[in-house]
């Protein structure tokens, strides 16, 4: 570590390691590591091939000829010379390999569906499902490149009562589908539709406890609807808490997927959620249930959060984070998280000067793997420093971590 860094590291004696890998572990690595990262289109006309530029002009001409009324999506006209319209048209062309007739057919069907479904006004509707907000499907923060992130988790439907309440009959399923489209439209409302801008979202899908058989009908309908009407709207699909059998299936059907489709997939097994998400999303933007620091209240109006520091805890290491210069009467508030915890955590205040003493603010305790970020505060009576410790000496697994803090000086003013 840098000599000026507040983080110090203590290393335990190395232990013999077993490097043998299981068959399932090998499959997980094949599914996760060998897929090259997706490179998003810039949607800049100057970057198009001559054949692609020609296809765009032909599509615009055909749409203008075939359309009996003004064609628009998401408040953007598709018939004018607006570059936003070009971005949308290029999405349909890309989805059909720049085959103009196929792209036009897809586009016209989508325009018809949006009119019948009432998609343009769906954001204004109150569809209920308050119990699903922030749980099943929701927009939450941005990735490191600025893409809005949509989280999906259907594990709550393993509860039969909940399943029946949401999917019990055809009418309930239709209402859920409408709500799910509304969530997606919220994300699309955040896009730029501009060459070189943010023109797609990130999807994080949590497969933990997902009842596959029961949700088959709903899942197929959602997938079909999104593929037909929202082409190239997802830049990356991150699957977390992936069970071992999913990786086996993926290794089998992977050869039948296009390279472009495969390049959008990121697959993360259980226990690796935070490590995977940190590669794409900053910890302060990741929900606490996935190893981040973001709580629902953070998204509401309030004082800005302090900067977040990311670090790693190697196997066999104990990391101490020292916050120096805390004045008497000041309050320090902190958040800290380690992905997949399974280590010991403690916090102590050490006073300055002669007669220095230590206060155990949080006694050493083992943190469970699924425990969320710790949030705490301490008001000092004397000047000193706060030391946050994470002890990973009992493990040989490297773990990602993050913390942030703010020190508020005493409001007391001497006469």
């Amino acid at each position: 570590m840098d000599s000026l860094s507040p983080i110090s590291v203590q290393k335990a004696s190395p232990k013999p390691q077993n490097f043998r890998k299981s068959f399932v572990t090998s499959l997980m690595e094949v599914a996760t590591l060998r897929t090259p990262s997706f490179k998003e289109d810039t949607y800049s006309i100057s970057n198009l091939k001559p054949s692609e530029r020609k296809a765009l002009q032909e599509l615009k001409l055909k749409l203008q000829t075939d359309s009996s009324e003004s064609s628009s999506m998401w408040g953007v006209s598709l018939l004018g010379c607006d570059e936003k319209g070009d971005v949308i048209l290029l999405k349909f062309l890309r989805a059909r390999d720049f085959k103009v007739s196929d792209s036009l057919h897809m586009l016209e069907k989508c325009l018809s569906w949006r009119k019948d479904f009432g998609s343009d006004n769906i954001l204004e509707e109150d569809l209920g499902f308050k119990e699903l907000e922030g749980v099943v499907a929701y927009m939450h923060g941005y990735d490191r490149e600025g893409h809005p992130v949509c989280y999906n988790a259907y594990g709550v439907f393993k509860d039969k009562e909940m399943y029946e309440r949401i999917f019990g009959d055809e009418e309930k399923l239709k209402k859920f589908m409408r709500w799910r489209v509304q969530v997606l439209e919220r994300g699309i409302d955040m896009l730029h539709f501009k060459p070189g801008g943010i023109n797609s979202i990130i999807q994080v899908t949590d497969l933990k406890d997902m009842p596959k058989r029961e949700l088959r009908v709903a899942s197929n309908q959602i997938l079909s609807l999104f593929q037909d009407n929202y082409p190239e709207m997802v830049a990356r699909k991150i699957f977390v808490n992936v069970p071992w059998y999913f990786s086996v299936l993926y290794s089998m059907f992977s050869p039948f997927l296009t390279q472009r489709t495969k390049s959008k997939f990121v697959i993360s097994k259980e226990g690796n959620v935070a490590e995977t998400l940190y590669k794409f999303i900053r910890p302060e933007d990741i929900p606490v249930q996935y190893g981040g620091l973001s709580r629902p209240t953070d998204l509401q109006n309030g004082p800005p959060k302090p900067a977040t520091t990311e670090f790693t805890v190697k196997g066999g290491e104990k990391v101490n984070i020292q916050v120096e210069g805390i004045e008497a009467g000041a309050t320090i508030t902190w958040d800290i998280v380690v992905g997949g915890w399974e280590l010991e955590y403690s916090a102590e205040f050490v006073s300055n000067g002669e007669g220095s003493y230590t206060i155990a603010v949080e006694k050493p305790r083992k943190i469970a793997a699924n425990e969320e970020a710790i949030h705490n505060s301490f008001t000092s009576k004397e000047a000193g420093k706060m030391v946050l410790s994470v002890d990973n000496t009992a493990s040989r697994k490297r773990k990602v971590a993050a913390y942030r803090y703010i020190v508020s000086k005493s409001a007391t003013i001497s006469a």
Side-chain angles (χ1 to χ4, degrees):
M1 295 287 177
D2 191 294
S3 59
L4 298 178
S5 171
I7 300 176
S8 62
V9 176
Q10 300 172 15
K11 295 186 178 181
S13 300
K15 298 179 180 180
Q17 296 186 18
N18 178 9
F19 292 101
R20 294 182 63 187
K21 296 180 180 179
S22 68
F23 172 67
V24 172
T25 299
S26 298
L27 284 174
M28 288 294 298
E29 292 181 350
V30 168
T32 306
L33 301 177
R34 294 189 182 178
T35 302
S37 180
F38 173 71
K39 187 174 182 180
E40 188 177 5
D41 285 346
T42 63
Y43 295 100
S44 174
I45 301 298
S46 61
N47 290 339
L48 294 177
K49 298 175 184 177
S51 60
E52 294 172 344
R53 205 173 304 159
K54 181 181 178 183
L56 175 60
Q57 294 304 318
E58 287 182 9
L59 179 59
K60 292 170 76 171
L61 183 60
K62 282 182 175 290
L63 183 63
Q64 194 167 14
T65 302
D66 293 2
S67 179
S68 58
E69 55 186 67
S70 177
S71 299
S72 65
M73 286 184 181
W74 303 294
V76 177
S77 173
L78 304 179
L79 299 178
C81 299
D82 190 347
E83 60 182 10
K84 290 187 174 184
D86 287 348
V87 170
I88 295 174
L89 293 177
L90 284 169
K91 287 180 177 292
F92 282 87
L93 283 165
R94 174 68 70 185
R96 291 295 180 265
D97 296 325
F98 282 87
K99 296 176 181 176
V100 177
S101 295
D102 293 347
S103 301
L104 178 64
H105 179 67
M106 182 185 190
L107 179 58
E108 289 179 334
K109 282 187 66 177
C110 179
L111 287 167
S112 177
W113 171 80
R114 291 188 65 82
K115 183 178 180 180
D116 295 342
F117 198 82
S119 299
D120 290 339
N121 301 315
I122 201 168
L123 293 180
E124 301 168 10
E125 297 180 20
D126 182 1
L127 299 172
F129 294 114
K130 298 300 181 185
E131 60 190 324
L132 305 186
E133 295 282 353
V135 178
V136 171
Y138 53 99
M139 303 303 303
H140 188 105
Y142 301 84
D143 76 348
R144 293 179 185 270
E145 297 177 350
H147 299 92
V149 182
C150 180
Y151 290 84
N152 305 276
Y154 297 100
V156 294
F157 295 122
K158 67 178 181 179
D159 181 282
K160 292 186 177 180
E161 184 178 335
M162 170 73 87
Y163 175 84
E164 286 299 323
R165 191 158 65 249
I166 304 300
F167 301 109
D169 55 45
E170 189 68 26
E171 206 57 40
K172 290 180 178 178
L173 176 58
K174 286 182 179 179
K175 187 177 180 182
F176 174 82
M177 292 285 291
R178 191 165 188 81
W179 174 78
R180 187 60 190 84
V181 167
Q182 186 184 62
V183 173
L184 179 57
E185 289 281 340
R186 287 175 191 156
I188 292 175
D189 193 50
M190 302 162 77
L191 301 182
H192 301 161
F193 291 122
K194 181 180 179 181
I198 301 300
N199 299 306
S200 57
I201 68 171
I202 301 294
Q203 279 197 344
V204 177
T205 300
D206 185 355
L207 298 183
K208 186 175 182 179
D209 297 327
M210 181 176 174
K212 302 176 294 300
R213 184 179 303 172
E214 292 84 350
L215 288 180
R216 185 177 298 156
V217 173
S219 298
N220 289 342
Q221 287 192 26
I222 292 172
L223 182 61
S224 177
L225 189 149
F226 286 1
Q227 285 181 337
D228 291 344
N229 300 290
Y230 297 92
E232 297 295 315
M233 289 297 180
V234 178
R236 185 171 282 111
K237 299 179 181 180
I238 305 174
F239 298 90
V240 300
N241 288 317
V242 174
W244 67 268
Y245 56 80
F246 182 92
S247 299
V248 175
L249 291 173
Y250 179 81
S251 66
M252 293 172 63
F253 68 72
S254 173
F256 302 99
L257 299 175
T258 66
Q259 192 59 48
R260 183 175 178 81
T261 298
K262 286 191 291 184
S263 68
K264 294 183 180 183
F265 288 178
V266 177
I267 298 174
S268 175
K269 63 182 179 181
E270 292 183 84
N272 279 18
V273 177
E275 183 177 358
T276 299
L277 293 182
Y278 278 29
K279 294 176 183 177
F280 307 102
I281 310 169
R282 293 183 179 87
E284 61 266 34
D285 291 322
I286 298 173
V288 287
Q289 63 266 36
Y290 294 121
L293 295 174
S294 180
R295 293 179 169 85
T297 52
D298 293 345
L299 300 180
Q300 299 170 2
N301 292 331
K305 297 296 178 183
T308 297
T309 299
E310 298 178 46
F311 64 103
T312 58
V313 189
K314 295 179 181 178
E317 282 187 348
K318 179 179 180 180
V319 174
N320 297 314
I321 302 166
Q322 303 187 50
V323 182
E324 308 267 6
I326 300 175
E327 299 177 0
T331 298
I332 177 173
T333 302
W334 70 92
D335 297 273
I336 186 169
V337 66
V338 179
W341 292 92
E342 290 293 349
L343 46 67
E344 196 171 81
Y345 160 79
S346 63
E348 60 184 25
F349 177 80
V350 183
S351 67
N352 290 342
E354 294 183 14
S356 175
Y357 59 88
T358 299
I359 298 176
V361 179
E362 292 184 272
K363 295 180 179 179
R365 66 184 179 93
K366 182 74 173 290
I367 308 294
N370 60 350
E371 192 161 336
E372 295 180 353
I374 289 172
H375 176 78
N376 205 350
S377 62
F378 175 78
T379 301
S380 62
K381 293 183 178 179
E382 296 186 29
K385 65 180 179 181
M386 178 66 69
V387 181
L388 309 177
S389 300
V390 286
D391 188 345
N392 197 35
T393 53
S395 170
R396 57 187 177 88
K397 183 178 180 181
R398 173 187 172 277
K399 299 170 183 177
V400 296
Y403 74 95
R404 64 187 177 195
Y405 70 89
I406 186 168
V407 178
S408 305
K409 295 183 179 181
S410 172
T412 303
I413 302 176
S414 300

